[in-house]
Amino acid sequence: MIPVKAFEGQTVAILGLGRSGLSAARALKAGGAEVVAWDDGPSGRDSGSAEGLVLRDLTRPGALDGVACLVTSPGIPHLYPSAHPAISAAWDAGVPVDNDIGLFFRSFADEGFASFDSPPRVIAVTGSNGKSTTSALIHHVLTEAGRPTQLAGNIGRGVLDLDPARDGEVVVLELSSYQTDLARALTPDVAVFTNLSPDHLDRHAGL
């Protein structure tokens, strides 16, 4: 797990309790944040309850009072075809909106990096097609070359479920357009853009 320490002692709201939302909730709690969470579906709320999360309907008036940040799952619209009511409420209240990708890039490096001979690197792969194949191939090549490496993002594990970095490690992330769209921090050492073709146009309002 990559603890998210930027919100220690503050309240952070999680919208969406699928894989990325639950992972973000664990990482925030590990970093000392107070977490409240919501999912529009009963199965998601059940998953949150099973994790011991405090559930709060984030669409209700005043639900975001005292909240330092709203962390939303990539599949929840924030622009097109229309913003989720909780995201609209966050913007109206001046509450920053982020996702697990943004939290990862703000939390991956820590004081332990100073003791490494070779600082860890992040390779991010995105594009309309070929992301998974390209990410898996890069990870495979690094593994065969004997380089410590982890694979996560839209493939494999959620980014905040990665193990803490090792000396000389390379983290390979497959990132969808949904994941890159909202991340408030996105600073890989290497970025791979495979291609651009018409896809998810209902979410992006055109090419």
Side-chain angles (χ1 to χ4, degrees):
M1 179 190 299
I2 308 294
V4 177
K5 301 177 182 178
F7 299 100
E8 184 175 1
Q10 301 178 72
T11 300
V12 177
I14 303 286
L15 178 63
L17 292 171
R19 184 187 69 166
S20 66
L22 292 174
S23 174
R26 296 184 202 109
L28 283 158
K29 290 176 70 174
E34 298 291 331
V35 175
V36 297
W38 184 251
D39 194 291
D40 291 336
S43 62
R45 295 195 293 272
D46 289 345
S47 297
S49 295
E51 292 267 342
L53 297 177
V54 176
L55 297 181
R56 178 191 296 181
D57 186 346
L58 299 175
T59 64
R60 292 184 177 178
L64 294 170
D65 291 351
V67 169
C69 182
L70 173 65
V71 177
T72 181
S73 295
I76 299 175
H78 67 282
L79 289 176
Y80 303 105
S82 62
H84 187 280
I87 297 176
S88 293
W91 284 337
D92 290 343
V95 175
V97 180
D98 206 348
N99 61 17
D100 62 329
I101 304 302
L103 295 181
F104 168 81
F105 278 102
R106 288 194 281 162
S107 307
F108 180 57
D110 62 24
E111 58 275 5
F113 278 34
S115 65
F116 292 157
D117 292 328
S118 178
R121 306 292 188 200
V122 178
I123 299 174
V125 181
T126 192
S128 300
N129 307 104
K131 296 184 295 295
S132 296
T133 301
T134 303
S135 300
L137 181 59
I138 293 170
H139 179 258
H140 175 73
V141 169
L142 289 167
T143 300
E144 291 299 306
R147 191 76 178 263
T149 182
Q150 297 185 75
L151 177 64
N154 203 44
I155 186 174
R157 291 185 286 177
V159 292
L160 293 171
D161 280 334
L162 287 168
D163 298 326
R166 295 168 287 174
D167 195 345
E169 183 170 57
V170 179
V171 171
V172 183
L173 301 180
E174 179 198 337
L175 300 180
S176 71
S177 59
Y178 294 177
Q179 291 172 309
T180 60
D181 198 18
L182 189 59
R184 293 176 66 88
L186 189 61
T187 54
D189 298 284
V190 176
V192 178
F193 190 91
T194 59
N195 50 46
L196 177 64
S197 62
D199 200 8
H200 304 305
L201 300 189
D202 57 333
R203 174 67 178 265
H204 298 300
L207 185 59

